[in-house]
Amino acid sequence: LKAASKIIITDTTEIYIRKPKDSKLQRLLYSGYKKRTTLKYEVAVDMVSGKPIFFSGPFAGPTADIEVFRSSL
């Protein structure tokens, strides 16, 4: 009997949000990449079944993708 193999793909996406009134929060959430205030989310998908198996977030927009990934381990 063979064990079922899994192929899992993870990716992050940034979602635009309304600019907060608090200037400290604006700086925290401002994404230099998107040039807007954003929140970042991560999703993991089982490529065999095509079903999402994990969601993570929100994270501040400028958080590096690798940091998001490491926090989900």
Side-chain angles (χ1 to χ4, degrees), residues 17-34:
I17 60 169
R18 197 175 308 178
K19 186 177 179 180
K21 291 182 181 182
D22 181 350
S23 62
K24 288 182 183 180
L25 192 54
Q26 287 176 21
R27 283 192 297 274
L28 177 70
L29 299 176
Y30 184 79
S31 169
Y33 175 69
K34 295 287 185 177

Side-chain angles (χ1 to χ4, degrees), residues 8-9 19 23 29 32-34 46 49 53 57 61 63 69-71:
I8 298 171
I9 302 294
K19 186 177 179 180
S23 62
L29 299 176
Y33 175 69
K34 295 287 185 177
D46 178 343
S49 69
I53 58 173
T63 307
F69 177 74
R70 286 179 180 149
S71 74

Side-chain angles (χ1 to χ4, degrees), residues 31-44:
S31 169
Y33 175 69
K34 295 287 185 177
K35 307 293 186 225
R36 293 186 60 178
T37 35
T38 64
L39 291 175
K40 188 175 276 191
Y41 295 86
E42 177 185 38
V43 64

